[in-house]
Amino acid sequence: MNLGETIYRLRTEKNLSQEDLAERLDVSRQSISKWENNNAIPDLEKIIKLSEIFEVSLDLLVKGNTEQQSEISIQGNVPKSKRRSNKFISSRDVIVLITIPVLAILILLVQKLFTPTSGELYQKGLDVISLMVEAARCESYVELNTGDSAIREAIQDIGAGNYASPKAVYAVTVDDESLWKYAEWKDYDISSDEFRKNTRDKILKSLITQLNSASTVERIVAGTICSEEISFVNENIKNNVIYIYTYESAMPVSVAFIVGEAGAISAKGNFIMYDEITYSSVEDIKACFDGLYVKVEQVQ
């Protein structure tokens, strides 16, 4: 778990809003949002203050390891007078603080040089997912879109996931003939080429929506609110495809890449809210499209 994920997790466990935490740190709410989405790193003074607010060591705050929750629980049951004061920084904490900037730079370099990809689509999908996670964690955005507490809770569940690195990524393709049969489209011969193309693209985008329809209304709406879309140009991509990103401790995400004119590509992302499938193999992914013949290939 990276620093941004850890800050988000600890903040929500303390029942603090981004505004609450920003006020205690004397920073803007936007700064908190940037930290949680790994768009910026807090300075050393703020990291020390964060460890005091969350009542965890600097080591646990930065590393975000699995022992973190148990330490929080233990500290919660110990009188404050007996807890270790974060005002006195140990030598190990000093080393952690010194290595934060270096590690951050190294991680970014390694990701750029060695991230396993199947081309530009893989990275563009990650870009869409980054926007979706940011939407789920942006309190003002959520408030703008819904006042329903159950929907907000569902969105908070989305944002609590660790989307730092996919466990596996699958490419899903379906030929036009299978798609038309699945949709029971009867006016193929009398429709214009442009209308058929637009209809085909809409059907493809709706496949994950149909899968999500088996979930609760609150989860469906939550997923819709957090959906994001970007556009880019790549003349080498000729066919529509859906990428499904799976994670160890986060909801799977689908990104549908739709090919337009002159190499224009639209990438529409949706959280997969249906949880009756494990999403851990090619066969699991095929099960998402029950009744439709699809080709599934694991690309990472």
Side-chain angles (χ1 to χ4, degrees):
M1 184 176 291
N2 56 43
L3 180 59
E5 300 279 355
T6 303
I7 293 173
Y8 174 82
R9 175 185 164 191
L10 293 174
R11 176 179 64 78
T12 54
E13 287 176 351
K14 287 287 187 179
N15 293 319
L16 294 172
S17 67
Q18 290 181 338
E19 291 284 0
D20 294 335
L21 185 57
E23 184 177 348
R24 295 180 67 170
L25 291 169
D26 194 25
V27 298
S28 66
R29 187 198 61 77
Q30 287 76 13
S31 293
I32 304 298
S33 178
K34 287 181 179 179
W35 297 346
E36 292 183 350
N37 288 288
N38 294 301
N39 293 325
I41 298 175
D43 59 35
L44 300 185
E45 180 185 352
K46 293 299 187 291
I47 290 177
I48 294 172
K49 185 66 176 177
L50 283 167
S51 73
E52 294 175 354
I53 293 172
F54 296 144
E55 298 180 298
V56 298
S57 70
L58 292 171
D59 188 39
L60 289 172
L61 177 63
V62 175
K63 291 182 179 179
N65 58 34
T66 55
E67 298 174 359
Q68 179 174 339
Q69 179 60 46
S70 60
E71 175 159 320
I72 295 172
S73 299
I74 292 171
Q75 284 196 4
N77 294 324
V78 175
K80 288 187 177 181
S81 60
K82 295 186 179 181
R83 297 180 191 173
R84 182 177 71 86
S85 173
N86 282 315
K87 294 181 180 180
F88 300 97
I89 304 175
S90 68
S91 58
R92 186 174 68 172
D93 287 341
V94 172
I95 293 174
V96 170
L97 291 174
I98 293 173
T99 57
I100 290 171
V102 177
L103 285 175
I105 293 172
L106 287 176
I107 289 171
L108 289 175
L109 288 174
V110 170
Q111 286 178 338
K112 286 186 177 294
L113 291 173
F114 300 107
T115 297
T117 73
S118 61
E120 185 180 8
L121 293 186
Y122 176 94
Q123 186 57 51
K124 290 297 183 182
L126 293 181
D127 293 343
V128 175
I129 293 171
S130 178
L131 290 174
M132 295 166 65
V133 174
E134 184 172 357
R137 294 175 179 172
C138 180
E139 294 177 352
S140 57
Y141 174 79
V142 174
E143 291 174 359
L144 183 67
N145 283 276
T146 181
D148 187 282
S149 59
I151 296 174
R152 288 187 181 183
E153 184 176 345
I155 294 175
Q156 189 176 66
D157 288 342
I158 292 173
N162 182 0
Y163 299 90
S165 179
K167 178 176 66 174
V169 182
Y170 303 89
V172 181
T173 55
V174 52
D175 61 77
D176 286 356
E177 183 179 356
S178 298
L179 199 62
W180 293 124
K181 286 182 179 179
Y182 175 78
E184 299 182 349
W185 184 257
K186 300 177 181 179
D187 295 326
Y188 183 88
D189 294 331
I190 63 175
S191 304
S192 66
D193 291 343
E194 186 67 23
F195 183 69
R196 281 201 301 270
K197 178 184 179 304
N198 289 342
T199 303
R200 179 202 63 189
D201 294 348
K202 289 178 181 178
I203 294 172
L204 193 69
K205 287 182 178 180
S206 72
L207 293 178
I208 297 300
T209 303
Q210 293 180 40
L211 176 66
N212 282 341
S213 66
S215 187
T216 66
V217 173
E218 291 78 14
R219 286 167 62 84
I220 294 171
V221 176
T224 301
I225 289 174
C226 297
S227 177
E228 293 288 340
E229 185 171 0
I230 66 171
S231 299
F232 60 99
V233 175
N234 188 326
E235 296 183 355
N236 295 322
I237 300 171
K238 305 300 181 182
N239 300 309
N240 296 340
V241 62
I242 298 174
Y243 271 31
I244 294 182
Y245 297 73
T246 65
Y247 296 87
E248 195 67 48
S249 56
M251 292 181 182
V253 185
S254 74
V255 181
F257 297 95
I258 306 299
V259 180
E261 296 181 357
I265 311 291
S266 69
K268 175 68 175 297
N270 287 285
F271 287 104
I272 302 178
M273 310 300 289
Y274 183 66
D275 57 6
E276 296 299 318
I277 300 174
T278 59
Y279 306 99
S280 59
S281 68
V282 167
E283 293 305 315
D284 286 342
I285 302 304
K286 287 183 177 179
C288 296
F289 305 91
D290 186 33
L292 174 64
Y293 175 76
V294 297
K295 179 182 177 181
V296 179
E297 176 187 5
Q298 185 170 348
V299 297
Q300 189 255 315

